[in-house]
Structures are given as C-alpha cells and as structure tokens.
C-alpha cells in the first residue's frame, strides 16, 4: 500500500495509506484511541476511527475525507452558518463524551513545558470558579487544521492529540477563540477584521445550546485562557524549537494584544451573551 506524507512544518512522519492515517505512537495515543472508540460508540462518528497499531508500531486511524482550511482563515468560512455548524458539532462531541472514564494509567497530551505549569518558569493560572477541568474530556484544539469541512461547513474533527479533562465552557471557548476569532482586529484574518466578535460569539454559543449559568462563564474563561496561554507558550518556547520560533515571530505580542482587547471588550461580550 502506497503512503503519502501530509504537509507539515518539517519532514512529516504522518502519512496517508489508503483510507487510513498512520503516525508514530506517542505516550497519549492509547488514551486517545480509547476516547475515540467511546465517542463513536455513543454516536459521534464525525471523527477518526481508532484502528490500533500497524506492524511498524504506528498509530492507525481512519482517514476523514473533506477540506481543511489553511490558517489564516479564508473569507469563505467567515459566515455565521459556519459558526452554527461548528457549535452543533462541538455540542454533539461533548454529549457523546459525557461520562467517559479514562482507562487506568491514562496519559493526556499537552504542549511542551506543560501549559498548566510544569515547564521552566511556568506558574499555574487557576481557572474561574465553575470552569475547572474535570467535567468532561474534550478536544481542546479547534484550530483551522483540525476542523474538516464538507459542502462549505464544519463536518468533522481530527487531531485529538490535546484532548484532556476540561469543562464544557472551557472547550467551547477554545472553539470561539479560533473561529470568532477572539483577537484584536489587527491580528485577525482580513475577512474577519470588521466582524462583530460579540455577535459571532453569541451565534456559536446559541448553536451549542449553552445554559444561562454557563454563558456567564464564557468571558471570564476566555480571559483566563489568554493568561494561561501567555504562561504556557512562554514556557514551551524555552524547551521546544518550534514554539521558540513562534514566540520569536511575535506570538507573545499577539497574546498581549488579545489580553488587552478582551479587557476592553469584556462588558460588551458579556452583555450580548446574556441578553
């Protein structure tokens, strides 16, 4: 069976072989495969099917057909219908994951240096009360490359490497941050610069069906997320060359601009969400 490498920042060890994707097994691979098997058994089949290991010891997953947007997000994914489809997709994943018990010895992926504070110079940033990790295990990385589109709309999720215990709000805020996006206008893709972030956040939250109590947590969690990322990404840059490159290319400055923008916009975002 022939193998085709996927595009990557460097030499890719991830390949497509027929209707499967194969890549090196990592410490968290078995946990992710267990998780995927569970959500698929609960009806969420819009994700890869876990297929164990091949004869080379590589992790094997089913290939998920469709189109993956390239960052920065293009204009054709700026419509509110994309947010509606994404909110529904995330809700279905959460409902399927609800009640999953990680297997004994479960290992979850994280960024180098550990976002939650184990890296050099890192300090844990506690989340707002009511949004602590542990409610569910969910995706936690809805970047453009991990959302598969069909017929112009989000239809499936891939790359569950960072799935880990979180809250429903915490995971949804990750999707909001990427796809509204929650960023200073100067740091948004061109087609998103003049879009109203509060209105778009409300569309995604409504599509998910978030209750009133959880809506009140969205803005505090979004602000916490930026603070945690500032700590985590700086720590990762000290131990990983790729994160060091991103940091040197201005990641820290972008996060600071996002933090300041969110501080200014927080009252408006909060009011629109609760209206």
């Amino acid at each position: 069976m022939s193998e085709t490498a996927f595009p990557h920042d460097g030499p890719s060890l991830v390949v497509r072989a027929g209707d499967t994707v194969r890549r090196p097994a990592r410490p968290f691979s078995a946990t992710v495969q267990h998780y995927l098997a569970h959500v698929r058994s609960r009806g969420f089949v819009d994700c890869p099917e876990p297929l164990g290991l091949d004869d080379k010891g590589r992790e094997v997953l089913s290939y998920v057909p469709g189109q993956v947007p390239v960052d920065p997000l293009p204009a054709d994914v700026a419509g509110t219908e994309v947010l509606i489809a994404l909110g529904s997709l995330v809700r279905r994943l959460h409902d399927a994951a609800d009640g999953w018990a990680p297997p004994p010895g479960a290992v979850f992926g994280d960024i180098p240096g550990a976002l939650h504070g184990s890296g050099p110079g890192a300090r844990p940033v506690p989340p707002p009360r009511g949004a602590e990790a542990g409610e569910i295990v969910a995706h936690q990385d809805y970047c453009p490359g991990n959302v598969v589109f069909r017929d112009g709309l989000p239809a499936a999720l891939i790359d569950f490497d960072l799935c880990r215990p979180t809250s429903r709000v915490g995971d949804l805020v990750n999707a909001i941050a990427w796809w509204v996006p929650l960023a200073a206008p100067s740091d948004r893709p061109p087609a998103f610069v003049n879009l109203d972030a509060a209105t778009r956040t409300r569309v995604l939250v409504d599509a998910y069906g978030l209750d009133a109590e959880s809506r009140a947590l969205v803005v505090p969690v979004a602000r916490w997320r930026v603070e945690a990322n500032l700590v985590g990404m700086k720590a990762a840059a000290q131990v990983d060359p790729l994160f060091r490159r991103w940091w040197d290319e201005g990641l820290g400055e972008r996060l600071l601009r996002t933090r300041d923008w969110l501080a200014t916009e927080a009252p408006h975002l909060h009011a629109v969400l609760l209206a």
Side-chain angles (χ1 to χ4, degrees):
M1 183 184 302
S2 62
E3 297 183 353
T4 304
F6 286 92
H8 196 265
D9 282 333
S12 180
L13 298 177
V14 182
V15 300
R16 178 178 176 183
D19 292 329
T20 68
V21 174
R22 297 165 191 246
R23 57 185 184 173
R26 287 158 293 179
F28 52 80
S29 296
T31 300
V32 172
Q33 290 228 348
H34 193 285
Y35 176 81
L36 291 172
H38 172 81
V39 297
R40 290 181 65 89
S41 75
R42 294 282 300 274
F44 186 82
V45 295
D46 301 311
C47 63
E49 179 182 2
L51 300 171
L53 302 177
D54 66 9
D55 56 5
K56 296 181 181 179
R58 297 177 298 183
E59 180 184 17
V60 184
L61 301 160
S62 65
Y63 174 75
V64 178
Q67 300 77 45
V68 174
V70 176
D71 196 19
L73 291 172
D76 60 2
V77 300
T80 56
E81 67 277 4
V82 169
L83 298 174
I84 293 169
L86 181 62
S88 175
L89 189 65
V90 174
R91 178 59 186 258
R92 291 193 294 106
L93 171 64
H94 288 182
D95 289 348
D98 192 27
W100 178 67
V107 176
F108 294 102
D110 212 327
I111 67 171
L115 178 63
H116 303 295
S118 65
R123 294 291 184 273
V125 180
R129 181 173 296 177
E132 297 87 350
E135 183 180 3
I136 57 169
V137 173
H139 193 285
Q140 283 289 277
D141 189 14
Y142 297 100
C143 68
N146 293 340
V147 180
V148 178
F149 279 62
R150 300 190 195 110
D151 298 323
L153 295 174
L157 303 170
I158 58 174
D159 195 348
F160 283 73
D161 289 359
L162 293 183
C163 80
R164 57 184 180 268
T166 183
S167 64
R168 285 179 178 255
V169 173
D171 193 60
L172 184 61
V173 164
N174 183 280
I176 292 169
W178 280 107
W179 290 89
V180 164
L182 295 183
S186 61
D187 293 320
R188 299 178 195 171
F192 292 72
V193 170
N194 295 318
L195 299 181
D196 183 66
T199 300
R200 287 174 60 79
T201 300
R202 175 66 187 258
V203 167
L204 207 161
V205 166
D206 283 352
Y208 180 93
L210 204 61
D211 60 54
E213 182 178 357
S214 296
R215 284 170 188 256
L217 289 170
V218 168
V219 174
V221 170
R223 297 184 68 180
W224 162 76
R225 179 180 180 273
V226 176
E227 295 289 353
N229 279 345
L230 274 165
V231 173
M233 295 300 180
K234 185 176 181 179
Q238 296 180 53
V239 298
D240 184 89
L242 180 58
F243 282 82
R244 180 77 231 179
R245 191 189 84 196
W246 290 343
W247 191 264
D248 290 344
E249 290 174 349
L251 174 59
E253 287 83 356
R254 290 196 299 277
L255 288 171
L256 288 171
R257 287 192 293 270
T258 296
R259 184 185 68 181
D260 294 344
W261 174 81
L262 268 175
T264 300
E265 294 295 318
H268 177 55
L269 284 165
H270 194 72
V272 171
L273 279 172
L274 298 183

